[in-house]
Amino acid sequence: MADAVFLALTVITIGSAIAALELRSLIYGSIALMGTLGGIAGFFFLLDAPFVALFQLAVYVGSIAVLILFTVMLVKRELIFNKIEDKRRKFAGIGLMMVVMVGLGAVFLDSGIKTITTDEPAVDFRDIGTDFVTYYWPALILMGLILAGSVTGALVLAKREDVENDQRTN
Amino acid sequence: MSSDSEKPVVEAKPEEKPTPAKPTAKPEEKPVELPAFEKGISDKLVEKFGDKVEVDFVKDDRVGIKTSKENVHDVAQFIRDDLHYDHAESVTGVDYPADNEIEVVYHLGSYTESSLARQVLTLSTRAPRESNPIPGQDSTKLPSLRDIFYSVEFGEREVFEMLGVYFDGHPDNRRLLLPEDWADLPPLRKDFAIKGR
Amino acid sequence: MTDIMPPGLALKKVDERIMTLNVGPQHPGSGHMRIVVQIDGDYIVACDPDPGYVHRGEEKMAEYRNYITNVPHLERPVIHDSCNVLYPYVLGAEEILGIEVPERAKYVRVICSELNRCIYTMYWLAIYGIFLGHSTMFMWPAGDRELLIDLMEKVSGARVTHAHFIPGGVRNDLPANFEDVCLRQVNYFEKRIKEYAAVFYDNPILISRTQDTGVLSRENAIRYGTTGSVLRASGVDYDLRVKAPYDVYDELDVHTNVMKEGDSYARSKVPWLDMMESCNIIRQALQKMPKSGSVRTKLKPNPKTKGPATVYKRVESGRGSLGCYIVSDGKTEPYRVKMSVPSFRNLLAMPNLLIGEKLGNMPSVYWSLNYWPVEADR
Amino acid sequence: MGTATGIIRALNSGIKHLAIKRFTLRYPEEKLKFVGDGYQFDPSTGVGIAGLKGRHMLFHDHCTGCQLCSIACEGVAEAIAMVKVPEEQKQNKKSIMPQIDYGKCVFCGLCVDACPFYALYMTNDYELSSFTKEGLIYTPAQLAVKPYLTQDSEIQITDRGATHG
Amino acid sequence: MTNELIDFTLVSVALLGIGIYGLAVKRNFIRMLFAVEIIINAANLSLVAFGRFLPHSGGQTLALFSIAIAAAEVAVGLSLIIVAYRMYQNVDIADFRSLKG
Amino acid sequence: MLEITSTPLILIAILGTVGVILPIISIARKEKGSNSFYAVIAFAALIVSMAYVGYEFINENVAASALFSDDVIVNDAFGGFFAIAMLIVALFTTVGSFNYMRKHNSPAVYYSLILLATIGMILVAYSTDLVMLFVAWELMSIPTYILVGYMKKNPSSNEAALKYFLFGALSSAIIVYGIAISYGLTGSTNIGEVIEGYSTLDPSLLPLALLSVGMFIAGFGFKMGLVPFHQWLPDTYEGAPSPVTALLAAATKKAGFAAAIRIIVLGMVALNLDWTLALGIIAVMTMTIGNVAAIMQKNLSRMLAYSSIAHAGYILIGLAVAPYSSLGLQGSLYQIFNHAVMKGAAFIAIAGIVTTLAVTHIDKLKGLGRRMPITALGMVISLFALAGVPPLSGFWSKLMLFGSALDASTALWWAPWLAIAGVLNSALSLAYYGWITRKMYFEGETEKRVSEPKSIVAVMIFSIIFLVGFGVYPEPLLKFVEFATPVVSLGLMP
Amino acid sequence: MSAIAPKFKLSEFIKSLLDNAFWAVLLASLIGLPIIQIVLFYIEMPVIDGELLTPFLALTWLADPTRSLPILKAFMATDMFRVMAFPGFGFAALIAAGTIFIERKMLAKLQLRVGPFYCGKIEGILQLAGDGLKLISKEIIIPAKADKPIFWAAPVIFVATAAAFVALIPVAPGWVVADIDLGLLGVFAVIGFFPIITILSAWSANSKFPFIGGIRALFQMVSFEIPLILSLLGVVILTGTLNLSEIAASQSSFPWIVFLPVGAIVFFITMLAELERIPFDLPEAESEIVAGWLTEFSGMMYGLVQLGTYLKLYAFAGLFVVLFLGGWNGPMVVPPFPEELLVGVELGPLTVGPFPGLPLFDQEMLNGTLWFVLKTVGVIFFILLPRGVFPRIRIDMLLSLGWTKLIGLAFVNIFIALGLLYAGVLGPGGLQ
Amino acid sequence: MFAFGIAAMAPALIISRMVSPRKRSNPVKFLPMECGQVPSGEGRTHFMMQYYPYILMFVVFDVMAIFLYAWGSALLELPKSATLPMMGFLAIMFGAMAFALYQSGRRRIW
């Protein structure tokens, strides 16, 4: 059963990843990106990491995708559908992709992890919480600093400063 | 007023007709005891402007002033600044095809002066009337009082569309009530007739 | 002709952030008018009211009818306030026709006028409630309004378009036992509207939502020539019933409600206070009214005038001072009738108040101006 | 904590109203009772008599065909037309009587005021709806019929609120 | 677990390839952001997959950190896009030509 | 368990607190506060942190280098060394921004972001766990994305930020991938355990291990500006505000080297044979391409950007030969320290020039030596130090680097070529440095002197003293570097 | 009689009915029957009374009521039943329908009017069915230039997401569709989908008012998600689990609202906002933006969105009950199953039974369901009540309320929970 | 359940589509809602920039909130000292939140 689910997830994930990049409309691209992210969450479920999976759903799909959608909607309609690319670059890109995929795939397939399976029980999600505040706690503090820095910086970036001479003065 | 049998005469000599019409229209031979306060107001105006203004009537709580279109701006200025009338209650246009004129009447009131709270000052002025009006292009024009009484803004717009009087100096002389595709005469003119009446 | 008209409702050029929104005429929150608002995000940067969707040319029609048959027409602009909207015309016509009004008729007029003021204000309040998303405040006033409509129906025989005032008095006398019924229902009505405080006027959400929105300063209120509750909410103590009493208002003790703030909340609260004041006036009038006597001077169906005259009469309606300017040329029909309606006067404040407001404040500011589109269009 | 008390007051008021009687008039089942028999006019004193301005009632034996009602209506709604009636009345030489189009009538009652012969008055009948425009036109014969009405509901004010009892 | 580690890693590699393709080909900034997100997700997938097969909780922890950091990054990146959009009315990076390079 | 008084934690506490509180202070002051107020606070925080680091060194509370602990961070001399270097650059940036950011609206956030980025860079050097390293890496990156795009009305700043952001995000994604693989192979994220894991690696997994090395090189290489990954760098350096460029060039790049030394050189020493050659090739390519491209530039920032690419190549020599020559890492660290000061000073000088004269084109620098004598002098000194002209500090580090390459020639047949390439490139670089000098001092008419910003002058004087002083008397710095240099153990070599 | 239905012809009506019937029969025979056969052959049948259930046996048993009970019971043990009927979709839809009726009648009572009255004789109880029929028979109008795939899919996905939310709510011990270990996080993940659906459907309509409404809905839901998440942390701290069933079970002695009233209040307010109910119904503020993001929906699409909304309402109310009001816990009021039914009942001369398979539901389950429904209805009452007494709030006030006051209170709640835990009042060694 | 929701609701739409009348005669009927006016301008350009900071903050603080769950669910098994790092984390986030709320409160700059 897991294999069927795995295959379905693979198709969804990779297909929607390609769609995210190739669909003409950026909105559909964003939706496809959500599909990719959701597919990854499905993989996390298969990997017995429900906490990460739900975190992925809540954070990636629930908030990052919303932010991306919102920004995409900001963009003018004609730009959403606009697509500038030349053929040569595209073929080069496909070549690069093939090289990466085949090369890395060959490396992975050649190496010893091909045979690795496990029967051990999965990690309890509470261990993650424990790790957070015991072993990794300086990283948690730094994480806080990252979030703080990014939100303050992003706000300062996004705000307008030319508003005083705008039409709002009546 | 006069009957409408003289219409061709009106067309012939529009200049002379109005000037004799005005004194005849308002006889003031009966000096019944006029209310004192209202008389004071009209006296102040006459004192300031002399024969540029003409006192139409003086009744309880009502003073009527007539003036020509050249002076209406100054008179309104005086009324606002020295007589302390601070707002216009309405702007009315009345069409007088017989005189070939359109009268515009401003009813002015005051909120700030408590003694004037009962009073309404009627300031009227007249603009020449054209039988085939092209609003904004013909000579049916009056100076706008919007810079003196802000509250006349919509009233003047209404008079503009309903009677075709263009107000010079009005910032926003657009239609207000009529539909955008209205292509008939201004409807409150007397020669715009309701069907069947 | 249209092509050489100054540009119609062409809007100014706007930049990309700004969206033009047609609020109305088919909009739950517009009434019979269109407000073209330009919004920048959540802020209104320009506002252009476009009335006229219910313009019927009442003034033009009045030029074709005699002084009596104008009565059913000229009460139409505000059918909820039909006595008050007819009142100045009737006063003016009486002066032109030279008729005296019996004393009892004046009291009946005052009672009808105050009842109509409450009826109108309740309707207004109901709409205000639904504009703010308060459905209960729609249903309660709409229901309690029935109490007064019932009274008016007993008096005049019609629920809304009473056609009750007529040059020379009122059409008919009060029905028997009316005083008791009126007193009972008005007392209950006053008790009811006092209950609105808990869910509406003292509701913290409503207060925080309407306070400090659409603030109309005292100077601007005078400058824009606003009237009625809008004016009184901005701190100007001006009520024609007190300042320039007509009929028998000078014999009654009328108290004017004035608030200083000039915001939407004050504008919405003043009519509510006025309703309580109306209840007082009705009780006084019922007490002082002559118990019997004629209510109507006899008049021909097509009366003759005394001669050319101009009359300008004002009364205090549910929305403010309502004037009627009648030019008579001596014929049986008026030469020109002009109604100076409070809604039209208050409309001028709207674009000035809405600029800079949030889009969410638009309904509350708009409706707090006591604007009645049908009346403004006439 | 003005906000909290205000919110609690509002909720309390709302819950209290769950116990108050409904004000609704269930219209087809119950109908409002009106004052008197309808609006009438006394031409001798020139004052009307209070009553509902509903559908008209025409007294054929009083109507003289003088057209005063029609003239009065001309300025208002043009709802009244004078039509020929087959019957012969001695006071009505021309045998014309008013026919009223309720599609146009505004129920102002000025026609009643205009009638000097006590021939017209208005009844309490207000249920005039019809599927056709023709059904709204009432001939003199129809106007002569006195409507049968059962209207008995009145506003009652009790401790638990007002109702249409 | 019926699936083997290699399956997940291959999916991850495929996603990595797609992401690199997107970065190389697309010139729309938002699309490039999509590509980067896809790469980050590929990395997370391989992290969790490795973590599952060890088994060890460190992989999931790092994946959590990585997702959180991606959130912060996206917030910053989209702010930058908004600034750029205000300036150029465009999101196409090929049209940003103020720097020669 | 980690001691609460260990240096990195104290640094986090000081800088992080100030960094978080600065914006809040700006709220309290209704954002009316001037630029300098916040700059002074940030300056004080940096000085205090530096004093604390120095105090720990003097008290010898610092462990010997490259101690891999059981915790995510370790208080060792290697980290301390980098902390001092980063703090110096951060001080340069803070002081240099004094005038540069004067007209900007939100100075508080600017300085707060500089402090946060500084924490990130320092913690990269201190961390002994891949997770911690990654988080610190991001803490370094994300504020710098914002800082680069901070001049919102300047299109080039924004464009620079967009490019930097894309490549930065890509690099962090690749780093995560590398971490994933190495974590999968070794079963842990702690670098100490990673070393053990690699030394006992199943041979069948070796390709994967190399893949992870490649991923790391690529990931860190993006930040270091190594050659195949350097496209973003000139654009970003040109577009970014000059003080931020100083921070980028002198500090974040060094943080990349710190991470590379921790992970690649020390962590994956067991795989040394496979990555040294790669690093060597990249080093030669980087310095050659950097220098050649720099010659062709007309824009001062851009030229220095390419020069900084070239310097990444020099530093990489030390890393490439590190397993075989103890001088290698020493030289790298020495060069890193010098380069931090030199590049920092050079970019701050540019910031001074931009704020006063608003030019960056080289042709317009004519007569700068007379118009802004101190800035020009500082600039020239740092440029010559960059080139490695003898009496200056840069000379010794380069000498050590090339020496290490020669030293390793017994084990690596290609190592001397590195030294030769380095010397040739230094000569090449002297050409364009000399050209700038000529423009500044020997061309142009007599221009009047303009007033130089005092903050810039302070930085210049400090850097002149530093470069000349340690050039003449390099002994203390050498000792410090020697103390800080981790020892690469070759015991696990096959 | 043109007034009623302009061009109504009985023959055409019958013809259309026949057409539909024909298509239904055709589809059933072409698709339905093969599906039934495939299902019968390939799905494993339960073993009942030692006999493998075959279609034939099942059909024979249907004729015997005593033997059909085991089939029913077996069916009730399947996932299909859970998803479709009891804790899942059917149950939720039933409660949603009840909610709509209660809302209308209660609001009418509060506003001194009657409410739905004529449809269904008794106080208009069939009004909802009438509305549903009306909606299903109305034309679906899709605006020109709308993004049709998204526009069509949005209502369906909205309902489906709401259904997914319903699936996480435990109704009685063991009676939950998806009993995942991290149920609470699952709730957050599901909630996160609603803003996306909203904004996408609003965008796809290509109209101004829906777009403004959609953006408002996005801001509102997104802003209140954080206080919502934070307000529930107190419960998680005290119980140490994210499984909703375990959380419900942990409140056997007293509900958490006793200790965490602040969190409960915050959660209640955020719930109102997430549900877009008055006073937080800004996305549908009809006096400002016509009907918000629902403006362009017509016919059954609108009906689906409403269904989804009420499913969501039920789910949130259920979540509140599970987290703060003790879920299914309550005194045992359901009488025990009459024993004599198990052995057979003597009805005068003849003996009926014994009925194998009885009881269908055990006593705990019935009791739990009863209490759960009672509490849920109570919560729904309090969700509906503000509609009668509050006006609509404004978007900036809403956002600042969510971001300042509610988040602050949520943190207060967290610290209360921590304090209770560390003071030893609750947690290990404490009361529970 | 999600799938069942889709499976159950799609037929409702299909049935509705089959039952309901369809008249395509009037192009005005298919115009987007614009209060009776002919639509002008683009329907999708509106962008409430004033509240953008909230959505930006959401992305960041959502992460914070769910991080707290990782800690809160394991809290019963943790030593009391383990709360301190979380408090440090929260303190940093509070600082950022204060700044962000202040910025988002100043509507005029968005």
Side-chain angles (χ1 to χ4, degrees), chain A residues 14 17-18 20-21 33 36 93 96-98 100-101, chain E residues 11-27 31-42, chain F residues 166 170 173-174 177:
Chain A
I14 293 179
I18 294 170
L21 295 172
L33 183 70
T36 311
L96 186 62
M97 176 177 80
M98 284 300 158
V100 168
M101 276 161 66
Chain E
V11 172
S12 154
V13 164
L15 286 176
L16 177 69
I18 292 166
I20 285 175
Y21 157 77
L23 270 181
V25 172
K26 303 293 168 190
R27 277 297 165 262
R31 291 251 195 238
M32 294 170 89
L33 197 64
F34 288 2
V36 169
E37 292 299 317
I38 291 173
I39 297 178
I40 292 175
N41 271 286
Chain F
L166 268 185
L170 178 63
I174 291 176
Y177 219 104

Side-chain angles (χ1 to χ4, degrees), chain C residues 19-23 26-29 39 42 130-137 139-140 144 192 199 203 205-206 208-210 213 358-363, chain G residues 107 109-113 207-209 211-212 216 278-282 285-291 385-397:
Chain C
M19 175 192 253
T20 305
L21 208 58
N22 284 314
V23 179
Q26 294 172 16
H27 188 284
I39 47 176
D42 203 21
I130 202 71
F131 268 25
L132 289 171
H134 199 314
S135 55
T136 300
M137 216 50 217
M139 296 297 174
W140 285 1
D144 295 334
R192 282 292 302 159
V199 290
N203 196 324
I205 294 177
L206 179 109
S208 60
R209 179 161 173 194
T210 53
T213 62
K358 300 175 186 71
L359 181 63
N361 280 340
M362 193 192 69
Chain G
L107 205 64
K109 192 81 186 70
L110 200 155
Q111 294 170 346
L112 309 183
R113 56 191 174 90
S207 179
K208 289 172 185 171
F209 293 108
F211 196 52
I212 297 175
R216 277 190 183 185
I278 285 176
F280 303 113
D281 71 331
L282 299 152
E286 75 280 342
S287 56
E288 299 152 31
I289 46 170
V290 190
L385 187 62
R387 187 171 164 190
V389 291
F390 292 127
R392 185 180 303 117
I393 204 167
R394 209 171 54 225
I395 179 98
D396 58 325
M397 287 160 58

Side-chain angles (χ1 to χ4, degrees), chain E residues 9 12-13 16 23 29 32-33 36 39-40 42-44 46-47 50-51 54 56-60 62 65-66 69 72-74 76-77 80-81 83-84 87-88 93 96-101, chain F residues 131 134-135 138 142 145-146 149 152-156 158-163 165-166 168-170 172-174 176-177 179-181 183-185 187-189 208 215 235-236 238-239 299 302:
Chain E
T9 47
S12 154
V13 164
L16 177 69
L23 270 181
F29 189 88
M32 294 170 89
L33 197 64
V36 169
I39 297 178
I40 292 175
N44 286 347
S46 64
L47 252 182
F50 279 123
L54 283 172
H56 186 265
S57 68
Q60 291 190 29
L62 181 50
F65 276 127
S66 168
I69 285 168
E73 252 173 13
V74 167
V76 172
L80 285 172
I81 291 182
V83 177
M87 214 146 23
Y88 297 96
I93 211 164
F96 299 167
R97 284 259 173 255
S98 68
L99 298 171
K100 43 189 184 296
Chain F
V131 173
F134 174 66
V135 174
E138 288 296 328
I142 290 178
Y145 302 150
I146 301 163
K152 277 189 284 176
K153 290 172 191 165
N154 185 350
S156 54
N158 182 250
E159 188 189 338
L162 285 176
K163 286 186 178 164
F165 171 80
L166 268 185
L170 178 63
S172 54
I174 291 176
V176 179
Y177 219 104
I179 291 176
I181 297 173
Y183 162 72
L185 297 182
S188 171
T189 54
L208 276 181
M215 295 268 185
D235 285 351
T236 304
E238 187 188 341
N299 186 311
R302 212 170 169 82

Side-chain angles (χ1 to χ4, degrees), chain F residues 328-454:
Chain F
L329 275 188
Q330 275 186 39
S332 288
L333 258 60
Y334 199 175
Q335 175 74 355
I336 282 168
F337 203 94
N338 276 334
H339 186 249
V341 177
M342 300 183 293
K343 260 288 151 28
F347 276 111
I348 295 299
I350 293 177
I353 296 168
V354 169
T355 38
T356 42
L357 304 178
V359 289
T360 50
H361 200 271
I362 290 176
D363 284 341
K364 294 189 178 151
L365 295 179
K366 285 174 186 170
L368 194 77
R370 285 178 288 281
R371 292 160 88 183
M372 304 177 68
I374 301 175
T375 313
L377 183 67
M379 180 119 183
V380 166
I381 296 272
S382 32
L383 288 184
F384 278 112
L386 282 169
V389 171
L392 298 172
S393 183
F395 170 71
W396 300 107
S397 54
K398 274 199 180 169
L399 189 67
M400 199 179 265
L401 275 172
F402 302 153
S404 71
L406 293 176
D407 188 33
S409 60
T410 49
L412 295 170
W413 59 268
W414 42 266
W417 292 102
L418 289 179
I420 293 166
V423 170
L424 285 178
N425 268 301
S426 296
L428 189 60
S429 68
L430 203 53
Y432 57 86
Y433 294 141
W435 186 49
I436 297 175
T437 316
R438 187 168 150 246
K439 286 271 179 202
M440 290 202 292
Y441 280 98
F442 305 108
E443 278 188 17
E445 315 310 315
T446 52
E447 276 95 356
K448 274 188 200 152
R449 184 177 169 163
V450 294
S451 73
E452 300 167 70
K454 292 201 176 54

